[in-house]
Amino acid sequence: EIGNGEDAVLEDSDLPLSRLPVFRSSILMVEAYDADVPTLFTRIINGEIPGRFVCQDDICVAFLDVRPLARGHVLVVPRDEVDHWVDLSPDVASHLMVVAQRVGRAQRELLSPARIGMLIAGFEVPHVHVHVVPMDSMAALDFSNANPNPDQGDLDRLQIDLAGLLA
């Protein structure tokens, strides 16, 4: 189990394990949101933790998921921490959808999947994020099938290729 609430920190980081997702029986859980502690995504956005960004603007960023549901899985995340998507302003929510659509079009061009799926769940990290997932079946949206060890070289190439299409 990761993120058991102890005061331990992620190796090579000062990120408390309590801010990481907790895995219980293939169901992703998350610790309660604490506005005084930056989320994992805020730390990535701020450059404290590495991220493979494919596009970014003043409102949001998009980066490759480190535990992809499918090859090319991207997260679209607002820069401001908001725990639940229904609490986003209409302008930010709309902007996230526009960026997710742009990302999906780039994924479709690069990877030629049957569909591009989109999902907002919110259990993994208490910071709104839109999953944009190239998929050939509904099974691609099953979090128990996430790849915990994707090929790092492939992620690097995907970042370059998607960023190029989104430039």
Side-chain angles (χ1 to χ4, degrees):
E1 185 172 293
I2 301 173
N4 58 10
E6 300 292 324
D7 288 334
V9 296
L10 182 64
E11 187 176 325
D12 297 327
S13 169
D14 60 349
L15 181 67
L17 288 180
S18 63
R19 299 300 291 163
L20 294 177
V22 176
F23 298 90
R24 293 188 181 101
S25 310
S26 80
I27 298 173
L28 248 45
M29 306 297 287
V30 70
E31 301 295 322
Y33 178 65
D34 180 351
D36 294 328
V37 179
T39 68
L40 175 65
F41 292 156
T42 295
R43 307 268 324 263
I44 292 169
I45 292 166
N46 292 341
E48 298 170 34
I49 296 173
R52 289 182 173 90
F53 294 89
V54 297
C55 67
Q56 52 188 307
D57 60 30
D58 292 342
I59 298 170
C60 70
V61 301
F63 53 85
L64 288 163
D65 195 313
V66 296
R67 287 181 38 90
L69 297 177
R71 185 170 182 260
H73 177 179
V74 169
L75 301 175
V76 179
V77 183
R79 289 184 179 275
D80 292 336
E81 285 186 13
V82 176
D83 184 21
H84 199 295
W85 72 271
V86 299
D87 296 325
L88 290 169
S89 73
D91 289 342
V92 171
S94 176
H95 185 75
L96 293 179
M97 293 303 109
V98 169
V99 172
Q101 184 180 45
R102 285 187 59 233
V103 168
R105 287 178 175 158
Q107 291 168 321
R108 184 175 60 189
E109 181 177 336
L110 181 65
L111 302 169
S112 302
R115 293 276 186 235
I116 301 295
M118 187 179 73
L119 175 70
I120 302 173
F123 288 101
E124 311 90 356
V125 177
H127 188 149
V128 172
H129 52 290
V130 179
H131 296 266
V132 186
V133 184
M135 50 192 280
D136 291 319
S137 75
M138 287 296 294
L141 295 178
D142 183 346
F143 283 90
S144 68
N145 293 329
N147 182 354
N149 298 303
D151 179 276
Q152 300 301 302
D154 186 50
L155 290 176
D156 291 339
R157 288 185 296 278
L158 284 166
Q159 177 190 13
I160 292 166
D161 293 343
L162 286 170
L165 290 170
L166 291 163

